[in-house]
Amino acid sequence: MASKVTIYDIAREASVGIGTVSRVLNNHPSVTPETRKRVKDVAIRLDYQPHTYAQRLARRQSETISAIIPFFTNYFFIEVLQGVQDKISQLGYDLVLYGVNNIDQVDSYISRALQRGKVDGILFFSMRLPERMISRLKETKLPMVLVDTLSPEFDSISVANAEGAYAATTHLIELGHRSVGMVNAQLVSAPAVERLQGYKRALESHGISYSESLVKSGTNNKADGFNREAGYEAIMEFINNGSEMPKAFFVSSDIQAMGVIAALSEKGFRVPEDVAVVGFDDIELARHIKLTTMRQPMYQMGVLAIERLVTRMSNPDMEILHTTFSPTLIVRESCGALRRNQN
Amino acid sequence: MASKVTIYDIAREASVGIGTVSRVLNNHPSVTPETRKRVKDVAIRLDYQPHTYAQRLARRQSETISAIIPFFTNYFFIEVLQGVQDKISQLGYDLVLYGVNNIDQVDSYISRALQRGKVDGILFFSMRLPERMISRLKETKLPMVLVDTLSPEFDSISVANAEGAYAATTHLIELGHRSVGMVNAQLVSAPAVERLQGYKRALESHGISYSESLVKSGTNNKADGFNREAGYEAIMEFINNGSEMPKAFFVSSDIQAMGVIAALSEKGFRVPEDVAVVGFDDIELARHIKLTTMRQPMYQMGVLAIERLVTRMSNPDMEILHTTFSPTLIVRESCGALRRNQN
DNA sequence: CACTTGTTTGGAAGTGCTTCCAAAAGATGT
DNA sequence: ACATCTTTTGGAAGCACTTCCAAACAAGTG
């Protein structure tokens, strides 16, 4: 079982008091260089390892941050997590992960994180924060940062959806399209609403009038409509309604765009020759299917989330901050831009 | 912050000793029902939360498991992690995650996990365990289970690669193909070698002679050859060499299969009409591109990994166990089986 | 009723650190 | 040489629990 060497052993071997040992190990200044060296040498010789939990108990802080993330969303959070991980380990904190497979687990995980002294802060991802938890959270004063979701009560890091939609739509317009449709998710989702706004604004500022017939906002589809089937069905509706098929589509997520493209090619439309498509998210998949899309700076969002959290920890009364990142346009083949310019 | 209520507060309020409080909270039997109730009521009234780290210090165990996983592999581990998470939280353990973005981090994470008393066990994923770490790990006697990787010194959970390859190849043969090619990754990778064996064995047991010209084992490709480009180039080589194009391919990973399919369709081969394709892994992507593939029971692997770890923890001298799971065939459209049978 | 046995209880000791306080040791000035 | 100030040091107390031991109590026995 590991070393079992304590500071008492070191103190004895180095003929000093335990206080001095502790000071050396924590780089406290008031120790003479000679004593410092003697203690350090002994520590190394005995292969001393501090006992994490004794430290945490005595120091009254956990050096731990817990992240509550939905495991069913996949793509997005995994990249954010990379940023979180890098920053967190750079700061010497530990990351305890509560992966939510089922929305009912949220409460129990929050409670666990709330155990006295257990974690110094929480990162809460992508899910609606349960109302009944908000007051509890506020009471305990445990620092928390929301990522990819919002609440007026807590700091948050998210993405400028409207702005991204604006850029995506503008890109299509600048490629010469005057008839740009949108395939959206359901308007119960905040991002969906914002992306629609961005789309409208882009049309407007380019002097194109908005036409409701060119927009499909996911209907009674299961979940929030951010899925492949929803995209597929949206296109099928266009065709079945006999409405005019736009020459270009802004689709509110990459995964829906997959469905859109599948439906289009099934019906004999070539992408991008007949219909251009731009998605949103830049999930891993997008690269493989050469989808032009709006990239969210997921890694940086993770890094910033941790930075914000530690700032909040050392400064509990700081004003609440909401940061939104700007997505960037990633041009691949599905929008037709490359073909036009290159070959 | 939080409550700050300790067992001393409870003891005073309930007029009992701290020992009794502790016994009640830990469901120790020797407490009379009346006392038990009295203490419990007080605990609830005061909103008592045990201090995790004080418990861990006193109990001399951490109730924590750490997982060291590569973040660059994506697909696979994320699903395994779901199983890990569910099982771990069912057991009341915490999961501390060390996500490796860069192979150099491995050593430092192992060292961190090795801090005395910090974790009760380690899960090590998908990477080659650094030689120099093995002896350290052995010395500390910290229980560890390898997932998706092997070492004779530690328990492991992995997948029966040969068997899966056998099943995939057999499936193609049973669909009537006598000329089945294989696109493999580089033979430096253990799974690649095993999958090749399974492929050969399948041919053999169906009386088809093995032909080297039908197999492309990733060449000087970057990394281990489990990537999209490798698949793409393999097909291009077939075409450039002017060798006969098999009517069916077993490809050693889904991501390579993506490249294979892209190359084929670029060259005018329809999948599955002209060439049937079966992959390996069943990553998320596979469903979207309707790829027939071998599914690894990732979730269960995660669950089992934790089960094995706790078994090992409570039974340190148990013989080392290597478990391999059997992959199962998931039939989608890329192999041509559905088309044949249904429409 | 005294004696044994068994159950329940209180609290000291132990877990391995950090931190505070007072004492010891050095440095400085006269 | 002594008084004063500063730096360095030892170790008690505290962090919040678990566990062990002995004491207290209850119950059973001849």
Side-chain angles (χ1 to χ4, degrees), chain B residues 141-142 196:
Chain B
K141 299 229 173 77
L142 228 205
L196 179 60

Side-chain angles (χ1 to χ4, degrees), chain A residues 2 4-5 48-54 56-57 62 64 71 74-75 77-78 81-82 85-86 89 92-99 101 105 109 112 114-118 140 228 255 258 284-285 288, chain B residues 1 4-5 48-54 56-57 62 64 71 74-75 77-78 81-82 85-86 89 92-99 101 105 109 112 114-118 140 228 255 258 284-285 288:
Chain A
K4 283 265 173 227
V5 182
Y48 170 77
Q49 306 265 57
H51 188 114
T52 317
Y53 301 118
R56 292 184 182 175
L57 178 59
S62 67
T64 295
F71 263 171
N74 272 359
Y75 302 112
F77 83 84
I78 234 248
L81 213 49
Q82 297 193 23
Q85 175 72 62
D86 280 356
S89 71
Y93 278 75
D94 273 340
L95 204 218
V96 355
L97 190 71
Y98 293 129
N101 285 322
Q105 298 173 317
Y109 282 145
R112 260 169 93 166
L114 251 35
Q115 292 216 1
R116 182 164 40 114
K118 178 126 174 212
T140 64
R228 196 175 166 284
I255 195 76
M258 282 230 44
E284 175 88 20
L285 201 71
H288 296 302
Chain B
M1 311 292 144
K4 284 266 174 225
V5 182
Y48 170 77
Q49 305 266 59
H51 188 115
T52 317
Y53 300 119
R56 291 184 182 175
L57 178 59
S62 67
T64 295
F71 264 170
N74 271 0
Y75 301 112
F77 84 83
I78 233 246
L81 212 50
Q82 297 193 23
Q85 175 72 59
D86 280 356
S89 71
Y93 277 76
D94 272 340
L95 204 217
V96 354
L97 190 71
Y98 293 129
N101 285 322
Q105 298 172 317
Y109 282 146
R112 260 169 92 166
L114 251 36
Q115 292 215 3
R116 181 162 41 111
K118 178 123 174 216
T140 64
R228 196 174 167 284
I255 195 76
M258 282 230 44
E284 175 88 19
L285 201 70
H288 296 302

Side-chain angles (χ1 to χ4, degrees), chain A residues 26-314:
Chain A
N26 292 294
N27 294 313
H28 188 93
S30 77
V31 181
T32 49
E34 303 83 67
T35 326
R36 180 179 300 281
K37 175 160 188 352
R38 191 148 41 92
V39 171
K40 271 199 167 141
D41 288 349
V42 173
I44 289 170
R45 179 158 56 78
L46 301 186
D47 188 27
Y48 170 77
Q49 306 265 57
H51 188 114
T52 317
Y53 301 118
Q55 289 182 317
R56 292 184 182 175
L57 178 59
R59 288 182 183 156
R60 257 145 293 178
Q61 52 156 310
S62 67
E63 281 141 344
T64 295
I65 285 169
S66 80
I68 303 179
I69 69 180
F71 263 171
F72 38 78
T73 304
N74 272 359
Y75 302 112
F76 174 78
F77 83 84
I78 234 248
E79 300 222 21
V80 181
L81 213 49
Q82 297 193 23
V84 168
Q85 175 72 62
D86 280 356
K87 191 72 198 177
I88 231 171
S89 71
Q90 176 192 320
L91 295 172
Y93 278 75
D94 273 340
L95 204 218
V96 355
L97 190 71
Y98 293 129
V100 178
N101 285 322
N102 171 333
I103 204 79
D104 305 334
Q105 298 173 317
V106 171
D107 284 43
S108 103
Y109 282 145
I110 292 183
S111 302
R112 260 169 93 166
L114 251 35
Q115 292 216 1
R116 182 164 40 114
K118 178 126 174 212
V119 303
D120 293 342
I122 303 184
L123 244 42
F124 190 87
F125 278 74
S126 298
M127 294 169 292
R128 273 265 300 286
L129 194 58
E131 280 297 334
R132 63 192 167 292
M133 283 288 132
I134 294 184
S135 55
R136 267 187 76 185
L137 251 0
K138 275 280 158 190
E139 244 164 52
T140 64
K141 298 227 171 80
L142 228 205
M144 176 162 88
V145 170
L146 306 182
V147 182
D148 190 37
T149 176
L150 288 171
S151 159
E153 314 274 348
F154 299 96
D155 293 311
S156 66
I157 312 289
S158 50
V159 125
N161 287 298
E163 195 184 307
Y166 183 93
T169 310
T170 298
H171 176 64
L172 288 166
I173 294 171
E174 286 176 350
L175 286 171
H177 295 287
R178 302 295 292 174
S179 151
V180 179
M182 174 172 182
V183 174
N184 201 3
Q186 291 187 221
L187 296 175
V188 288
S189 145
V193 173
E194 294 171 22
R195 290 174 194 180
L196 178 61
Q197 281 167 358
Y199 162 80
K200 285 184 182 170
R201 216 174 295 148
L203 294 183
E204 194 181 330
S205 56
H206 290 84
I208 301 174
S209 64
Y210 167 73
S211 154
E212 213 158 274
S213 68
L214 292 184
V215 174
K216 291 270 179 272
S217 287
T219 49
N220 48 349
N221 204 286
K222 64 209 136 219
D224 51 7
F226 280 114
N227 55 57
R228 196 175 166 284
E229 293 68 34
Y232 184 92
E233 279 160 27
I235 293 301
M236 287 309 178
E237 271 184 58
F238 266 105
I239 287 165
N240 294 338
N241 290 356
S243 11
E244 47 160 346
M245 179 68 73
K247 292 281 174 219
F249 272 111
F250 164 55
V251 185
S252 62
S253 74
D254 288 353
I255 195 76
Q256 287 173 90
M258 282 230 44
V260 164
I261 290 172
L264 284 171
S265 74
E266 206 168 284
K267 291 298 179 181
F269 294 93
R270 289 165 305 160
V271 175
E273 292 84 349
D274 301 323
V275 181
V277 173
V278 175
F280 203 111
D281 282 348
D282 197 33
I283 60 179
E284 175 88 20
L285 201 71
R287 220 179 62 224
H288 296 302
I289 62 172
K290 297 176 179 153
L291 181 67
T292 293
T293 189
M294 299 307 302
R295 170 177 295 169
Q296 307 183 257
M298 301 182 265
Y299 183 90
Q300 286 107 292
M301 288 172 73
V303 172
L304 185 65
I306 293 296
E307 287 174 351
R308 174 68 40 82
L309 191 57
V310 295
T311 310
R312 163 73 55 199
M313 293 189 300
S314 55

Side-chain angles (χ1 to χ4, degrees), chain B residues 9-312:
Chain B
D9 300 317
I10 299 183
R12 194 176 352 94
E13 291 281 315
S15 319
V16 295
I18 55 161
T20 303
V21 174
S22 178
R23 264 168 242 130
V24 169
L25 297 173
N26 292 294
N27 294 314
H28 188 94
S30 76
V31 182
T32 50
E34 302 84 67
T35 324
R36 180 178 301 281
K37 174 157 187 355
R38 191 147 43 92
V39 171
K40 271 198 167 143
D41 287 350
V42 174
I44 289 170
R45 180 158 57 79
L46 300 185
D47 188 27
Y48 170 77
Q49 305 266 59
H51 188 115
T52 317
Y53 300 119
Q55 290 182 317
R56 291 184 182 175
L57 178 59
R59 289 181 182 157
R60 256 145 294 174
Q61 51 155 311
S62 67
E63 281 141 342
T64 295
I65 286 169
S66 80
I68 303 179
I69 69 180
F71 264 170
F72 38 77
T73 305
N74 271 0
Y75 301 112
F76 174 77
F77 84 83
I78 233 246
E79 300 222 20
V80 182
L81 212 50
Q82 297 193 23
V84 168
Q85 175 72 59
D86 280 356
K87 190 72 197 177
I88 231 171
S89 71
Q90 175 193 321
L91 295 172
Y93 277 76
D94 272 340
L95 204 217
V96 354
L97 190 71
Y98 293 129
V100 178
N101 285 322
N102 170 334
I103 203 81
D104 305 333
Q105 298 172 317
V106 171
D107 284 43
S108 103
Y109 282 146
I110 292 184
S111 303
R112 260 169 92 166
L114 251 36
Q115 292 215 3
R116 181 162 41 111
K118 178 123 174 216
V119 303
D120 293 341
I122 303 183
L123 245 43
F124 190 87
F125 278 75
S126 299
M127 293 169 292
R128 275 264 299 286
L129 195 58
E131 279 298 334
R132 63 192 167 293
M133 283 288 132
I134 293 185
S135 54
R136 267 187 75 186
L137 251 1
K138 274 280 157 190
E139 244 164 52
T140 64
K141 299 229 173 77
L142 228 205
M144 176 162 88
V145 170
L146 307 181
V147 182
D148 190 36
T149 176
L150 288 171
S151 160
E153 314 274 348
F154 300 96
D155 294 311
S156 67
I157 312 290
S158 50
V159 126
N161 287 299
E163 194 184 306
Y166 183 95
T169 309
T170 298
H171 176 64
L172 288 166
I173 294 172
E174 286 175 351
L175 285 171
H177 295 287
R178 302 295 293 173
S179 152
V180 179
M182 174 171 182
V183 173
N184 200 3
Q186 292 188 220
L187 295 175
V188 289
S189 146
V193 173
E194 294 171 22
R195 288 172 196 182
L196 179 60
Q197 281 167 359
Y199 163 78
K200 285 185 183 170
R201 216 174 296 147
L203 294 183
E204 195 180 330
S205 57
H206 291 84
I208 300 174
S209 64
Y210 168 72
S211 155
E212 213 158 275
S213 68
L214 292 186
V215 174
K216 291 270 178 274
S217 286
T219 50
N220 49 351
N221 205 287
K222 63 212 136 214
D224 51 6
F226 280 114
N227 55 56
R228 196 174 167 284
E229 292 69 32
Y232 183 90
E233 279 160 27
I235 293 301
M236 287 308 178
E237 270 185 58
F238 266 104
I239 287 165
N240 294 338
N241 291 356
S243 11
E244 47 160 346
M245 178 67 72
K247 292 281 174 223
F249 272 112
F250 164 54
V251 185
S252 63
S253 74
D254 287 354
I255 195 76
Q256 287 173 90
M258 282 230 44
V260 165
I261 291 172
L264 285 171
S265 74
E266 207 169 285
K267 292 298 180 182
F269 294 93
R270 288 165 306 161
V271 175
E273 292 83 349
D274 301 324
V275 181
V277 173
V278 174
F280 203 110
D281 282 348
D282 197 33
I283 61 179
E284 175 88 19
L285 201 70
R287 217 179 66 221
H288 296 302
I289 63 172
K290 295 173 180 157
L291 181 66
T292 293
T293 189
M294 299 306 303
R295 170 177 296 171
Q296 307 182 259
M298 301 183 265
Y299 184 90
Q300 287 107 292
M301 288 173 73
V303 173
L304 185 65
I306 293 296
E307 287 174 350
R308 174 69 40 82
L309 191 57
V310 294
T311 311
R312 163 73 55 199

